[in-house]
Amino acid sequence: MTARSDVVTRLTGRPVSGERELSGSLAEVTLDDGRVVVVKRTEAPGAARAEAAGLRWLAAAGTVRVPAVHGDEGAWLVIDRVPRGRPGREAAVRFGRDLAGLHAAGAPAFGAPPPGGPADAYIGLAPLRNEPAGDWPGWYAGQRVLPYLRRAVDQGTLRPGEAAVVERLCDRLPELAGPAEPPARLHGDLWNGNVLWAADGDVRLIDPAAHGGHRETDLAMLRLFGCPHLEAVLDGYRQVAPLADGWTERVGVHQLFPLLVHAVLFGRSYAEQALSVARSAVTR
């Protein structure tokens, strides 16, 4: 028995009959009753706990679907495997409706972590601080954009003079953010790779960076790296929850944070994208 098998047995209550490596951090493990679970290992402190809490919080909304969580232990997270299907328009419309319902389930505050989740969480491999705040513009600038702007400058991915345009955007966020909205229950890292089109015709969401935030952030993330049938997703969303006027003009504002995260992790090309959306926003 491997350490991974021992963890799976403790969290599922079933012996393990087989294992298959998917990557350095992921594996599929078959239980003795034939069910298959996915086991994820991360060395980042608290990451497994944060992801498990996020998945449970999303599931508690009773709208968008996520894989069942068997539990977390130390660096390990065990969830159900999702058999893959193909993207389709009907599934996309349902997903849009469910995502609107998830957002409407709300959160105690902007920056609120999921119940049982640590304040210090992650978006992918990047640290993410979840500390409740009273208004979205101040929270988004102070806890999302500016910390990663400073990191990008410190490591040389952005030049100090270039940072000024992002700082101007942060100063103007109260006027650029659109109408005030209540805190939404966000997935928080809703790029296409975290949207699984399942064989049963529904979508499952994985790898959340869940927190209380602005609902337009999740929608902007779907657009940032492309999502199959995105217009159908948006059609379904607006059937349940119409979006505030001008939301398409604010997409870049909401994409700024993930672009800065990618700049810190992956380099200059993402920094240039971040600068482009910041310049566009402040010259509107």
Side-chain angles (χ1 to χ4, degrees):
M1 293 283 285
T2 66
R4 178 169 55 212
S5 296
D6 291 340
V7 169
V8 170
T9 295
R10 285 194 294 272
L11 293 179
T12 65
R14 306 294 310 193
V16 169
S17 63
E19 301 183 38
R20 182 169 75 94
E21 297 281 351
L22 300 177
S23 70
S25 60
L26 287 176
E28 288 183 350
V29 175
T30 303
L31 307 179
D32 70 336
D33 60 4
R35 289 180 296 152
V36 180
V37 296
V38 171
V39 184
K40 182 175 181 179
R41 179 178 174 83
T42 175
E43 298 301 330
R49 176 186 161 205
E51 188 170 336
L55 287 168
R56 291 186 176 110
W57 194 43
L58 301 187
T63 57
V64 73
R65 300 181 69 181
V66 302
V69 178
H70 292 278
D72 64 282
E73 181 180 303
W76 302 95
L77 173 69
V78 180
I79 62 175
D80 272 353
R81 182 188 65 168
V82 178
R84 300 297 186 94
R86 294 176 62 84
R89 177 175 172 77
E90 289 185 9
V93 171
R94 284 197 300 274
F95 170 44
R97 293 172 183 155
D98 290 343
L99 184 61
L102 172 69
H103 291 164
F110 296 108
D120 290 309
Y122 298 86
I123 179 167
L125 300 174
L128 187 73
R129 178 71 180 172
N130 287 322
E131 187 173 323
D135 70 282
W136 184 79
W139 169 81
Y140 184 63
Q143 291 193 39
R144 292 297 188 259
V145 175
L146 292 175
Y148 272 89
L149 178 66
R150 288 191 288 269
R151 289 186 63 175
V153 170
D154 289 345
Q155 71 183 34
T157 307
L158 272 171
R159 293 181 283 276
E162 294 174 322
V165 67
V166 178
E167 293 168 343
R168 286 200 300 275
L169 182 147
C170 288
D171 290 340
R172 292 186 56 196
L173 270 176
E175 65 183 274
L176 296 174
E181 297 204 5
R185 188 172 307 191
L186 295 193
H187 176 280
D189 191 12
L190 198 57
W191 73 287
N192 181 51
N194 290 338
V195 179
L196 301 186
W197 302 84
D200 62 8
D202 280 327
V203 163
R204 305 291 196 285
L205 300 184
I206 60 169
D207 295 349
H211 63 277
H214 196 301
R215 62 191 180 127
E216 291 176 12
T217 300
D218 270 353
L219 301 180
M221 280 289 288
L222 283 176
R223 189 178 294 276
L224 181 57
F225 298 112
C227 176
H229 303 286
L230 178 57
E231 291 309 313
V233 174
L234 295 173
D235 286 346
Y237 190 100
R238 289 176 293 208
Q239 289 172 17
V240 174
L243 291 158
D245 289 345
W247 74 273
T248 56
E249 298 173 0
R250 296 187 290 272
V251 167
V253 170
H254 291 272
Q255 290 177 343
L256 184 58
F257 167 64
L259 285 171
L260 287 171
V261 170
H262 278 69
V264 167
L265 295 178
F266 305 117
R268 178 66 188 180
S269 65
Y270 289 106
E272 290 172 351
Q273 290 185 57
L275 291 171
S276 177
V277 299
R279 292 187 187 108
S280 177
V282 298
T283 57
R284 282 210 311 265

